Amino acid sequence: AQKITQTQPGMFVQEKEAVTLDCTYDTSDPSYGLFWYKQPSSGEMIFLIYQGSYDQQNATEGRYSLNFQKARKSANLVISASQLGDSAMYFCAVYGGATNKLIFGTGTLLAVQP
Amino acid sequence: NAGVTQTPKFRILKIGQSMTLQCTQDMNHNYMYWYRQDPGMGLKLIYYSVGAGITDKGEVPNGYNVSRSTTEDFPLRLELAAPSQTSVYFCASSYSNRVETQYFGPGTRLLVL
């Protein structure tokens, strides 16, 4: 079974500051992937970043980085230099290679303040 | 390429009515997925398909049916709509089971009254 936990229902951050969105996961698959998606108010799901369970280095994509701590089963998303356009829902998800299923967390609503 | 398209964008159903949510992709992707997103929640997998003629259940398949007669189309069928099926439905597709390549459609908002 796979499970994703996002404990922060909502967060505020000041523009230009960094913010960390928490995500912990549980999976029985030995090989898995961790994902972060952004969902703005318009509703579409936008892929942000991916971390494979065997990747040695933390993934980075522009201002997004994934703080992957395998022993703690955590995959926190770090957004550096927040922008007003970063205000959105952020979903963490885990994908098990043996199950072909992507399981989502309940999301964190991020509000960037000017 | 249009990517993943979904129709309709919005629909209101009465309890007990049936309808089909359409999903089409023009990227020649083998894998296709249907998710539902309830208010304030993440996405839950309803059904998925790894190729034409092959479908399998996800987390929440009850009350839904799917078919995959072609690579491009993956319709989702609701036979007897219930208020619990009020949700936003997302279709997605990917070339392989590497999910970072998964593309989402714009969603269909369904309200069952």
Side-chain angles (χ1 to χ4, degrees):
Chain A
Q2 297 169 154
K3 184 180 178 182
I4 286 281
T5 302
Q6 294 181 255
T7 57
Q8 305 155 311
M11 292 184 69
F12 286 103
V13 65
Q14 290 296 123
E15 194 177 6
K16 300 181 183 178
E17 291 185 351
V19 63
T20 298
L21 306 182
D22 294 340
C23 172
T24 58
Y25 63 92
D26 192 15
T27 177
S28 55
D29 280 309
S31 175
Y32 54 90
L34 295 152
F35 303 81
W36 278 92
Y37 286 85
K38 174 183 179 181
Q39 187 178 42
S41 58
S42 52
E44 70 267 35
M45 294 291 287
I46 303 168
F47 165 73
L48 293 179
I49 196 167
Y50 163 80
Q51 177 86 42
S53 58
Y54 292 112
D55 293 341
Q56 296 296 317
Q57 292 190 329
N58 287 346
T60 59
E61 289 286 346
R63 294 185 299 108
Y64 304 108
S65 61
L66 202 154
N67 184 3
F68 182 46
Q69 298 188 42
K70 195 171 183 178
R72 295 185 177 184
K73 295 189 174 182
S74 74
N76 299 339
L77 177 70
V78 180
I79 305 175
S80 62
S82 297
Q83 302 173 355
L84 296 178
D86 293 335
S87 294
M89 282 289 287
Y90 289 82
F91 291 96
C92 181
V94 62
Y95 178 86
T99 58
N100 284 331
K101 295 176 183 177
L102 186 63
I103 306 299
F104 285 80
T106 53
T108 295
L109 179 61
L110 178 67
V112 180
Q113 295 179 314
Chain B
N1 287 352
V4 181
T5 56
Q6 292 182 238
T7 56
K9 291 185 179 180
F10 180 69
R11 182 75 183 268
I12 301 175
L13 286 181
K14 293 182 179 179
I15 295 172
Q17 286 186 320
S18 62
M19 76 165 293
T20 299
L21 283 67
Q22 302 290 346
C23 175
T24 301
Q25 52 90 10
D26 62 357
M27 297 173 283
N28 202 31
H29 285 171
N30 292 320
Y31 290 69
M32 294 188 75
Y33 312 82
W34 273 107
Y35 297 90
R36 60 177 285 173
Q37 184 181 30
D38 298 328
M41 304 293 287
L43 278 66
K44 291 187 180 294
L45 183 65
I46 305 172
Y47 271 95
Y48 68 102
S49 169
V50 300
I54 306 170
T55 62
D56 207 348
K57 295 179 180 179
E59 291 179 271
V60 289
N62 291 344
Y64 307 95
N65 280 301
V66 293
S67 59
R68 186 91 183 274
S69 57
T70 66
T71 299
E72 294 79 17
D73 300 307
F74 190 40
L76 178 71
R77 179 80 178 165
L78 282 71
E79 290 294 348
L80 291 170
S84 62
Q85 293 178 305
T86 293
S87 190
V88 180
Y89 292 84
F90 287 97
C91 179
S93 72
S94 62
Y95 178 71
S96 69
N97 63 352
R98 287 176 63 86
V99 186
E100 73 268 31
T101 59
Q102 193 167 118
Y103 295 87
F104 281 83
T108 294
R109 294 184 177 274
L110 177 65
L111 179 61
V112 182
L113 299 175

